Amino acid sequence: VAATVTPPKRATYRHGDLRRALIDAGLELARADGPDAVVLREATRRTGVVPNAAYRHFADRNSLLQAVCWEAQRLAAETIEAKLAEVEPDEDAAAWARARVRAVGGGYLCFARHEPGLFLTAFSVPTDMSGITGIDEEGKRRPGPFGLLAQALDDMVLAGALPVERRPGAELLCWSAVHGLATLVLEGPLRAMSDEELASVGERVLDMVDRGV
Amino acid sequence: VAATVTPPKRATYRHGDLRRALIDAGLELARADGPDAVVLREATRRTGVVPNAAYRHFADRNSLLQAVCWEAQRLAAETIEAKLAEVEPDEDAAAWARARVRAVGGGYLCFARHEPGLFLTAFSVPTDMSGITGIDEEGKRRPGPFGLLAQALDDMVLAGALPVERRPGAELLCWSAVHGLATLVLEGPLRAMSDEELASVGERVLDMVDRGV
DNA sequence: TGTACATCAGTGAACGCGCGTTCACTGATGTAC
DNA sequence: TGTACATCAGTGAACGCGCGTTCACTGATGTAC
């Protein structure tokens, strides 16, 4: 859709960090038009480099997409963490834990709304993120979106807000509900929905999860 | 992925019902590999016709895809109707209505599981199916998947199993939960799930909806 | 400190592919007289 | 019942496009002596 944006210029022969630059370019493409828009040639073009240069850093187009996908997941996790940080501590531990789970869901929906392309890239590209384990970022291991949810649910159990026997698999219930709403709104038949509508339906979905889990 | 399967042969110059044949071919492509696989040229190839012949019946590739998408929705509706038909009447009107809503969800998941390509084609191609109104089929108007759900929820209200004030928008809650599970399992990070696992998680999601709506 | 050389990041040119779509055509059909 | 003609479904050939990927290369860097 969008034409080549960045005028490719470079002083040095070596690029510096081409790998990083390609991922960033791919991220922009994904942001604008979703995972299918992560086109190897376009990424190199925007980086001011010849197409095959990418093969020094990625085995093929798919490897690049994979890297972009992880990055998108990391960004999603950041949005969720921001929402989590907004939750103010409550004396009632159960209520607080509950609020945190809601915040995870809210952050997820928020990310879907504001970064539709990245959302699709993060969550509909075949990647194994089912583990609770996280994502590398500058060396540290941090929990991904799924990990944050799992953690919040664990906290609910600790706070006595969720019976232990209901805990296993609870991630899936939460995730399904919220993910479903997100995709229906993004690519599905609910695209016409306004921000307010989404917010209110979002709350209702979270209510349902809260009551039903 | 799949090579050209059908050897193109035709006795008459005129095809008979090329439009129908192209839709059917497109449906096969969608069944095998999802909406992106609905490729105009391949559809004509399988129909034993020259590529541009398609333009007598469809304005462009997208029109064909749209037609295939509707057809896929119709098939989804049929699966759901089959599940609905299996629900045996209950003296308790409320319980029966409840069971019918569950059946709608179950049919949806069932379709997603057995026809992943068609499922994606039906529900992730931009189409306005938000109306409760249905789909043309041999002249008759029949409710689509969404319509069946709406109807089942209406019945719940009538049976007193759902407070009227909770009715508006309830479709979205149900649909989100079930659709989310379906897409997570299909293209998302839960692809490894076995049939049994899916069935049991499916039940739990339906429980959640049941309790939470 | 200076030179020889291995390393490897980025280049230049090209490949084969399949796609959607357009053009001017030809062949079979159905209708009017 | 038979012929002239309009209609339009399907043909044949071609277009431009952008993609992923491969090849043999050249230029800058860093290390060993």
Coordinates of all heavy atoms in Angstrom, one line a residue, chain D residues 9-32:
Chain D
dA9 P -22.7 -14.2 -20.7 OP1 -24.1 -14.3 -20.3 OP2 -21.8 -13.2 -20.0 O5' -22.1 -15.6 -20.7 C5' -22.8 -16.7 -21.4 C4' -21.8 -17.7 -21.8 O4' -21.2 -17.3 -23.1 C3' -20.6 -18.0 -20.8 O3' -20.2 -19.3 -20.9 C2' -19.5 -17.1 -21.4 C1' -19.8 -17.2 -22.9 N9 -19.4 -16.0 -23.6 C8 -19.7 -14.7 -23.3 N7 -19.2 -13.8 -24.2 C5 -18.7 -14.6 -25.2 C6 -18.1 -14.2 -26.4 N6 -17.9 -13.0 -26.8 N1 -17.6 -15.2 -27.2 C2 -17.8 -16.5 -26.8 N3 -18.4 -16.9 -25.6 C4 -18.8 -15.9 -24.9
dG10 P -19.1 -19.9 -20.0 OP1 -19.4 -21.3 -19.7 OP2 -18.9 -18.9 -18.9 O5' -17.8 -19.9 -21.0 C5' -17.6 -21.0 -21.8 C4' -16.5 -20.7 -22.8 O4' -16.7 -19.3 -23.3 C3' -15.1 -20.7 -22.2 O3' -14.2 -21.5 -22.9 C2' -14.6 -19.2 -22.2 C1' -15.4 -18.8 -23.5 N9 -15.5 -17.3 -23.6 C8 -16.1 -16.5 -22.6 N7 -16.0 -15.2 -23.0 C5 -15.3 -15.2 -24.2 C6 -14.9 -14.2 -25.1 O6 -15.1 -12.9 -24.9 N1 -14.3 -14.6 -26.2 C2 -14.0 -15.9 -26.5 N2 -13.4 -16.2 -27.6 N3 -14.4 -17.0 -25.7 C4 -15.0 -16.5 -24.6
dT11 P -12.6 -21.6 -22.8 OP1 -12.3 -23.0 -23.0 OP2 -12.3 -20.9 -21.5 O5' -12.1 -20.7 -24.0 C5' -12.4 -21.1 -25.3 C4' -11.5 -20.4 -26.3 O4' -11.8 -19.0 -26.2 C3' -10.0 -20.5 -26.1 O3' -9.4 -20.9 -27.3 C2' -9.5 -19.2 -25.6 C1' -10.6 -18.3 -26.2 N1 -10.9 -17.0 -25.5 C2 -10.4 -15.8 -26.0 O2 -9.8 -15.7 -27.1 N3 -10.8 -14.7 -25.3 C4 -11.5 -14.7 -24.1 O4 -11.7 -13.6 -23.5 C5 -11.9 -16.0 -23.6 C7 -12.6 -16.1 -22.3 C6 -11.5 -17.1 -24.3
dG12 P -8.0 -21.7 -27.3 OP1 -8.1 -22.6 -28.5 OP2 -7.8 -22.2 -26.0 O5' -7.0 -20.5 -27.6 C5' -7.3 -19.6 -28.6 C4' -6.2 -18.5 -28.7 O4' -6.7 -17.3 -28.0 C3' -4.9 -18.9 -28.1 O3' -3.9 -18.5 -29.1 C2' -4.9 -18.1 -26.8 C1' -5.7 -16.9 -27.1 N9 -6.4 -16.3 -26.0 C8 -6.9 -16.9 -24.9 N7 -7.5 -16.1 -24.1 C5 -7.3 -14.9 -24.6 C6 -7.8 -13.6 -24.2 O6 -8.4 -13.4 -23.1 N1 -7.4 -12.6 -25.0 C2 -6.7 -12.8 -26.2 N2 -6.5 -11.7 -26.9 N3 -6.3 -13.9 -26.7 C4 -6.6 -15.0 -25.8
dA13 P -2.3 -18.8 -28.9 OP1 -1.8 -19.2 -30.2 OP2 -2.1 -19.7 -27.8 O5' -1.8 -17.3 -28.5 C5' -2.5 -16.2 -29.1 C4' -2.0 -14.9 -28.5 O4' -2.9 -14.5 -27.4 C3' -0.6 -15.1 -27.8 O3' 0.2 -13.9 -28.2 C2' -0.9 -15.1 -26.3 C1' -2.1 -14.1 -26.3 N9 -2.9 -14.2 -25.1 C8 -3.2 -15.4 -24.4 N7 -4.0 -15.2 -23.3 C5 -4.2 -13.8 -23.3 C6 -4.9 -13.0 -22.4 N6 -5.5 -13.4 -21.4 N1 -4.9 -11.7 -22.7 C2 -4.2 -11.2 -23.8 N3 -3.5 -11.9 -24.7 C4 -3.5 -13.2 -24.4
dA14 P 1.8 -13.8 -28.0 OP1 2.4 -13.5 -29.3 OP2 2.3 -15.0 -27.2 O5' 1.9 -12.5 -27.1 C5' 0.9 -11.5 -27.3 C4' 0.7 -10.7 -26.0 O4' -0.2 -11.5 -25.1 C3' 1.9 -10.5 -25.2 O3' 2.5 -9.2 -25.5 C2' 1.4 -10.6 -23.7 C1' -0.1 -10.9 -23.9 N9 -0.6 -11.8 -22.9 C8 -0.3 -13.2 -22.8 N7 -0.9 -13.8 -21.8 C5 -1.6 -12.8 -21.2 C6 -2.5 -12.7 -20.1 N6 -2.8 -13.8 -19.3 N1 -3.1 -11.6 -19.8 C2 -2.8 -10.5 -20.5 N3 -2.0 -10.4 -21.6 C4 -1.4 -11.6 -21.8
dC15 P 3.7 -8.6 -24.7 OP1 4.3 -7.5 -25.6 OP2 4.6 -9.7 -24.3 O5' 3.1 -8.0 -23.5 C5' 2.2 -6.8 -23.6 C4' 1.9 -6.3 -22.2 O4' 0.8 -7.0 -21.6 C3' 3.1 -6.5 -21.2 O3' 4.1 -5.6 -21.4 C2' 2.3 -6.4 -19.9 C1' 1.0 -7.1 -20.2 N1 1.0 -8.5 -19.8 C2 0.2 -8.9 -18.6 O2 -0.4 -8.0 -18.1 N3 0.2 -10.1 -18.2 C4 0.9 -11.1 -18.9 N4 0.8 -12.3 -18.4 C5 1.7 -10.7 -20.0 C6 1.7 -9.5 -20.4
dG16 P 4.5 -4.3 -20.7 OP1 3.8 -3.2 -21.5 OP2 5.9 -4.2 -20.4 O5' 3.7 -4.5 -19.3 C5' 2.9 -3.4 -18.8 C4' 2.8 -3.6 -17.3 O4' 2.5 -5.0 -17.0 C3' 4.2 -3.4 -16.6 O3' 4.0 -2.6 -15.4 C2' 4.7 -4.8 -16.3 C1' 3.4 -5.6 -16.1 N9 3.6 -7.0 -16.4 C8 4.3 -7.6 -17.3 N7 4.3 -8.9 -17.3 C5 3.4 -9.2 -16.3 C6 2.9 -10.4 -15.8 O6 3.2 -11.6 -16.2 N1 2.0 -10.3 -14.8 C2 1.6 -9.1 -14.2 N2 0.8 -9.1 -13.2 N3 2.1 -7.9 -14.7 C4 2.9 -8.0 -15.7
dC17 P 5.1 -2.2 -14.5 OP1 4.9 -0.8 -14.0 OP2 6.4 -2.5 -15.1 O5' 4.9 -3.2 -13.3 C5' 3.5 -3.3 -12.8 C4' 3.6 -4.4 -11.7 O4' 3.6 -5.7 -12.3 C3' 4.9 -4.3 -10.9 O3' 4.6 -3.8 -9.6 C2' 5.4 -5.7 -10.8 C1' 4.3 -6.5 -11.5 N1 4.9 -7.6 -12.4 C2 4.6 -9.0 -12.1 O2 3.9 -9.2 -11.1 N3 5.1 -9.9 -12.8 C4 5.9 -9.6 -13.9 N4 6.3 -10.6 -14.6 C5 6.2 -8.2 -14.2 C6 5.7 -7.3 -13.4
dG18 P 5.7 -3.1 -8.8 OP1 5.2 -1.9 -8.2 OP2 7.0 -3.1 -9.6 O5' 6.0 -4.2 -7.6 C5' 4.9 -4.8 -7.0 C4' 5.4 -6.1 -6.5 O4' 5.6 -7.0 -7.6 C3' 6.8 -6.0 -5.8 O3' 6.7 -6.3 -4.5 C2' 7.7 -6.9 -6.6 C1' 6.8 -7.8 -7.4 N9 7.3 -8.3 -8.7 C8 7.9 -7.5 -9.6 N7 8.3 -8.2 -10.7 C5 7.9 -9.5 -10.4 C6 8.0 -10.7 -11.1 O6 8.5 -10.9 -12.2 N1 7.5 -11.8 -10.4 C2 6.9 -11.7 -9.2 N2 6.5 -12.9 -8.7 N3 6.8 -10.6 -8.5 C4 7.3 -9.6 -9.1
dC19 P 7.8 -6.4 -3.5 OP1 7.2 -5.9 -2.2 OP2 9.0 -5.8 -4.0 O5' 8.0 -8.0 -3.3 C5' 6.9 -8.8 -3.0 C4' 7.2 -10.2 -3.4 O4' 7.4 -10.3 -4.8 C3' 8.5 -10.7 -2.8 O3' 8.2 -11.2 -1.5 C2' 8.8 -11.8 -3.8 C1' 8.2 -11.4 -5.1 N1 9.1 -11.1 -6.2 C2 9.6 -12.1 -7.0 O2 9.3 -13.3 -6.8 N3 10.4 -11.8 -8.0 C4 10.8 -10.5 -8.3 N4 11.6 -10.2 -9.3 C5 10.3 -9.5 -7.4 C6 9.5 -9.8 -6.4
dG20 P 9.4 -11.2 -0.5 OP1 8.8 -11.4 0.8 OP2 10.4 -10.2 -0.8 O5' 10.1 -12.6 -0.9 C5' 9.4 -13.8 -0.8 C4' 10.2 -15.0 -1.3 O4' 10.5 -14.7 -2.7 C3' 11.5 -15.2 -0.5 O3' 11.7 -16.6 -0.3 C2' 12.5 -14.6 -1.5 C1' 11.9 -14.8 -2.8 N9 12.3 -13.8 -3.8 C8 12.2 -12.4 -3.7 N7 12.7 -11.8 -4.7 C5 13.1 -12.8 -5.6 C6 13.6 -12.6 -6.9 O6 13.9 -11.6 -7.6 N1 13.9 -13.9 -7.5 C2 13.6 -15.1 -6.9 N2 13.9 -16.2 -7.6 N3 13.1 -15.2 -5.7 C4 12.8 -14.0 -5.1
dT21 P 12.9 -17.1 0.5 OP1 12.5 -18.5 1.1 OP2 13.3 -16.1 1.5 O5' 14.0 -17.4 -0.5 C5' 13.7 -18.1 -1.7 C4' 14.8 -18.1 -2.7 O4' 14.8 -16.9 -3.4 C3' 16.2 -18.2 -2.0 O3' 16.8 -19.4 -2.4 C2' 17.0 -17.0 -2.6 C1' 16.2 -16.6 -3.8 N1 16.3 -15.1 -4.1 C2 16.7 -14.8 -5.4 O2 17.0 -15.6 -6.2 N3 16.8 -13.4 -5.6 C4 16.5 -12.4 -4.7 O4 16.6 -11.3 -5.1 C5 16.0 -12.9 -3.4 C7 15.7 -11.8 -2.4 C6 16.0 -14.2 -3.2
dT22 P 18.2 -19.9 -1.9 OP1 18.2 -21.4 -1.7 OP2 18.7 -19.0 -0.8 O5' 19.2 -19.6 -3.2 C5' 18.8 -20.1 -4.5 C4' 19.8 -19.8 -5.5 O4' 19.6 -18.4 -6.0 C3' 21.2 -19.9 -5.0 O3' 22.0 -20.7 -5.9 C2' 21.7 -18.5 -4.9 C1' 20.9 -17.8 -6.0 N1 20.7 -16.4 -5.7 C2 20.8 -15.4 -6.7 O2 21.1 -15.7 -7.9 N3 20.6 -14.1 -6.3 C4 20.3 -13.7 -5.1 O4 20.1 -12.5 -4.8 C5 20.2 -14.7 -4.1 C7 19.9 -14.3 -2.7 C6 20.4 -16.0 -4.4
dC23 P 23.5 -21.2 -5.7 OP1 23.6 -22.5 -6.4 OP2 23.9 -21.1 -4.3 O5' 24.4 -20.1 -6.5 C5' 24.2 -20.1 -8.0 C4' 25.1 -18.9 -8.5 O4' 24.4 -17.7 -8.2 C3' 26.4 -18.8 -7.9 O3' 27.4 -19.4 -8.8 C2' 26.7 -17.3 -7.8 C1' 25.4 -16.7 -8.0 N1 24.9 -15.8 -6.9 C2 24.7 -14.5 -7.1 O2 24.9 -14.0 -8.3 N3 24.3 -13.7 -6.1 C4 24.2 -14.2 -4.9 N4 23.8 -13.4 -3.9 C5 24.4 -15.6 -4.6 C6 24.8 -16.4 -5.7
dA24 P 28.9 -19.7 -8.3 OP1 29.4 -20.8 -9.0 OP2 29.0 -19.7 -6.8 O5' 29.7 -18.4 -8.8 C5' 29.4 -17.8 -10.0 C4' 29.9 -16.4 -10.1 O4' 29.1 -15.6 -9.2 C3' 31.3 -16.2 -9.6 O3' 32.0 -15.2 -10.4 C2' 31.2 -15.7 -8.2 C1' 29.9 -14.9 -8.3 N9 29.2 -14.7 -7.0 C8 29.0 -15.7 -6.0 N7 28.3 -15.2 -5.0 C5 28.1 -13.9 -5.3 C6 27.5 -12.8 -4.6 N6 26.9 -13.0 -3.4 N1 27.4 -11.6 -5.2 C2 28.0 -11.5 -6.4 N3 28.6 -12.3 -7.1 C4 28.6 -13.5 -6.5
dC25 P 33.4 -14.7 -10.0 OP1 34.1 -14.2 -11.3 OP2 34.1 -15.6 -9.2 O5' 33.1 -13.3 -9.2 C5' 33.4 -12.1 -9.8 C4' 33.0 -10.9 -8.8 O4' 31.8 -11.4 -8.1 C3' 34.0 -10.6 -7.8 O3' 35.1 -9.8 -8.3 C2' 33.1 -9.8 -6.8 C1' 31.8 -10.5 -6.9 N1 31.5 -11.3 -5.7 C2 30.9 -10.6 -4.6 O2 30.7 -9.4 -4.7 N3 30.7 -11.3 -3.4 C4 30.9 -12.6 -3.4 N4 30.6 -13.3 -2.3 C5 31.5 -13.3 -4.5 C6 31.7 -12.6 -5.6
dT26 P 35.0 -8.3 -8.8 OP1 33.9 -8.2 -9.7 OP2 36.4 -7.9 -9.2 O5' 34.7 -7.5 -7.5 C5' 33.9 -6.3 -7.6 C4' 33.8 -5.6 -6.2 O4' 33.3 -6.6 -5.2 C3' 35.1 -5.1 -5.6 O3' 34.8 -3.9 -4.9 C2' 35.5 -6.2 -4.7 C1' 34.1 -6.5 -4.1 N1 34.0 -7.8 -3.4 C2 33.3 -7.8 -2.2 O2 32.9 -6.8 -1.7 N3 33.2 -9.0 -1.6 C4 33.7 -10.2 -2.1 O4 33.6 -11.3 -1.4 C5 34.4 -10.2 -3.3 C7 35.0 -11.4 -3.9 C6 34.5 -9.0 -3.9
dG27 P 35.7 -2.6 -5.2 OP1 34.9 -1.9 -6.3 OP2 37.1 -3.0 -5.4 O5' 35.6 -1.9 -3.8 C5' 34.3 -1.7 -3.3 C4' 34.3 -2.0 -1.8 O4' 34.4 -3.5 -1.7 C3' 35.5 -1.5 -1.0 O3' 35.1 -0.4 -0.2 C2' 36.1 -2.6 -0.2 C1' 35.0 -3.7 -0.4 N9 35.6 -5.1 -0.5 C8 36.3 -5.6 -1.5 N7 36.6 -6.9 -1.4 C5 36.0 -7.2 -0.2 C6 36.0 -8.4 0.5 O6 36.5 -9.5 0.2 N1 35.2 -8.3 1.7 C2 34.6 -7.2 2.2 N2 33.9 -7.3 3.3 N3 34.6 -6.0 1.5 C4 35.3 -6.1 0.4
dA28 P 36.0 0.4 0.6 OP1 35.4 1.8 0.8 OP2 37.4 0.3 0.1 O5' 35.9 -0.4 2.0 C5' 34.8 -0.1 2.9 C4' 34.9 -1.1 4.0 O4' 35.3 -2.4 3.6 C3' 35.9 -0.7 5.1 O3' 35.2 -0.7 6.3 C2' 36.9 -1.7 5.1 C1' 36.2 -2.9 4.5 N9 36.9 -3.9 3.8 C8 37.7 -3.7 2.6 N7 38.2 -4.8 2.2 C5 37.8 -5.8 3.1 C6 38.1 -7.2 3.1 N6 38.8 -7.9 2.3 N1 37.5 -7.9 4.2 C2 36.8 -7.2 5.1 N3 36.5 -5.9 5.1 C4 37.0 -5.3 4.1
dT29 P 35.8 0.0 7.6 OP1 34.6 0.7 8.3 OP2 36.9 0.8 7.2 O5' 36.3 -1.2 8.5 C5' 35.3 -2.1 9.0 C4' 35.9 -3.4 9.3 O4' 36.7 -3.8 8.2 C3' 36.9 -3.3 10.5 O3' 36.3 -3.7 11.7 C2' 38.1 -4.3 10.0 C1' 37.5 -4.8 8.7 N1 38.5 -5.2 7.7 C2 38.9 -6.5 7.6 O2 38.5 -7.4 8.3 N3 39.8 -6.7 6.6 C4 40.4 -5.8 5.7 O4 41.2 -6.1 4.8 C5 39.9 -4.4 5.9 C7 40.4 -3.4 5.0 C6 39.0 -4.2 6.9
dG30 P 37.1 -3.5 13.0 OP1 36.0 -3.4 14.1 OP2 38.1 -2.5 12.9 O5' 37.9 -4.9 13.2 C5' 37.2 -6.1 13.2 C4' 38.2 -7.3 13.2 O4' 38.9 -7.3 12.0 C3' 39.2 -7.2 14.3 O3' 39.5 -8.5 14.8 C2' 40.4 -6.6 13.6 C1' 40.3 -7.3 12.3 N9 41.0 -6.7 11.1 C8 41.1 -5.4 10.8 N7 41.7 -5.1 9.7 C5 42.2 -6.4 9.3 C6 43.0 -6.8 8.2 O6 43.5 -6.1 7.3 N1 43.1 -8.2 8.2 C2 42.6 -9.1 9.1 N2 42.9 -10.4 8.9 N3 41.9 -8.7 10.1 C4 41.7 -7.4 10.2
dT31 P 40.1 -8.7 16.3 OP1 39.0 -9.3 17.1 OP2 40.8 -7.5 16.7 O5' 41.1 -9.9 16.1 C5' 40.8 -10.9 15.1 C4' 42.1 -11.4 14.5 O4' 42.5 -10.4 13.5 C3' 43.3 -11.5 15.4 O3' 43.8 -12.9 15.4 C2' 44.4 -10.5 14.9 C1' 44.0 -10.4 13.4 N1 44.4 -9.2 12.7 C2 45.2 -9.4 11.5 O2 45.5 -10.5 11.1 N3 45.5 -8.2 10.9 C4 45.2 -7.0 11.3 O4 45.6 -6.0 10.6 C5 44.4 -6.8 12.5 C7 44.0 -5.5 13.0 C6 44.0 -8.0 13.1
dA32 P 44.9 -13.4 16.3 OP1 44.5 -14.7 16.9 OP2 45.3 -12.3 17.2 O5' 46.1 -13.7 15.3 C5' 45.8 -14.4 14.1 C4' 47.2 -14.6 13.3 O4' 47.5 -13.4 12.6 C3' 48.3 -14.9 14.2 O3' 49.2 -15.9 13.6 C2' 49.0 -13.6 14.5 C1' 48.7 -12.9 13.2 N9 48.5 -11.4 13.3 C8 47.9 -10.8 14.4 N7 47.9 -9.5 14.2 C5 48.5 -9.2 13.0 C6 48.7 -8.1 12.2 N6 48.4 -6.9 12.7 N1 49.3 -8.2 11.1 C2 49.7 -9.4 10.6 N3 49.5 -10.6 11.2 C4 48.9 -10.4 12.4

